Amino acid sequence: MENYVDIFKALANSTRLEMLKWLKDPYDHFDKPSAHLSKNMSEKGGVCVGDISERAGMSQSTVSHYLSMMQKAGLLESERHGKWTYYRRNEENLEKLTKWIKEEL
């Protein structure tokens, strides 16, 4: 988690920032049960790209690009099941970022 420029680039877009907020409390923002990765498949959970795309009102390709950008910056984790990819926040890296901001900025 040393590429802070990429992190701030990812956060500099209001839609990407909203997506990160939605994924903080996915059950509050994605009410379809099919949107969530079954706890039987992963204890960590996650939200399907298609449902994030629907909520954002954007094409799935744009949303996939945004999510990939945030994942490369270390803000998100993904898990693929069949043809679906589910995303969740990388809480460990978000805590490191918070600590870095408090101590260094």
Side-chain angles (χ1 to χ4, degrees):
M1 176 103 187
E2 295 183 20
N3 201 353
Y4 296 105
V5 172
D6 287 341
I7 292 169
F8 288 113
K9 282 181 185 177
L11 296 175
N13 175 286
S14 61
T15 302
R16 289 191 295 264
L17 194 57
E18 280 298 307
M19 290 175 185
L20 197 59
K21 289 178 187 178
W22 297 338
L23 291 172
K24 182 177 183 181
D25 297 305
Y27 290 100
D28 293 341
H29 298 284
F30 301 95
D31 57 358
K32 292 186 338 190
S34 63
H36 303 277
L37 182 60
S38 167
K39 289 292 186 179
N40 295 332
M41 296 176 87
S42 170
E43 287 301 312
K44 295 180 180 181
V47 178
C48 181
V49 173
D51 292 295
I52 297 170
S53 175
E54 186 178 308
R55 174 141 174 105
M58 302 175 83
S59 72
Q60 202 161 340
S61 62
T62 300
V63 169
S64 290
H65 173 72
Y66 282 5
L67 295 169
S68 176
M69 182 181 192
M70 289 191 288
Q71 182 178 9
K72 286 178 184 170
L75 299 169
L76 299 178
E77 300 174 316
S78 69
E79 194 167 325
R80 190 154 177 87
H81 289 273
K83 61 182 178 176
W84 294 281
T85 303
Y86 294 82
Y87 284 87
R88 64 183 161 266
R89 290 165 42 116
N90 185 329
E91 296 298 340
E92 181 181 334
N93 281 349
L94 288 166
E95 286 179 32
K96 288 178 185 177
L97 175 62
T98 301
K99 182 179 178 185
W100 182 81
I101 288 171
K102 285 176 77 174
E103 293 176 0
E104 302 294 328
L105 291 182

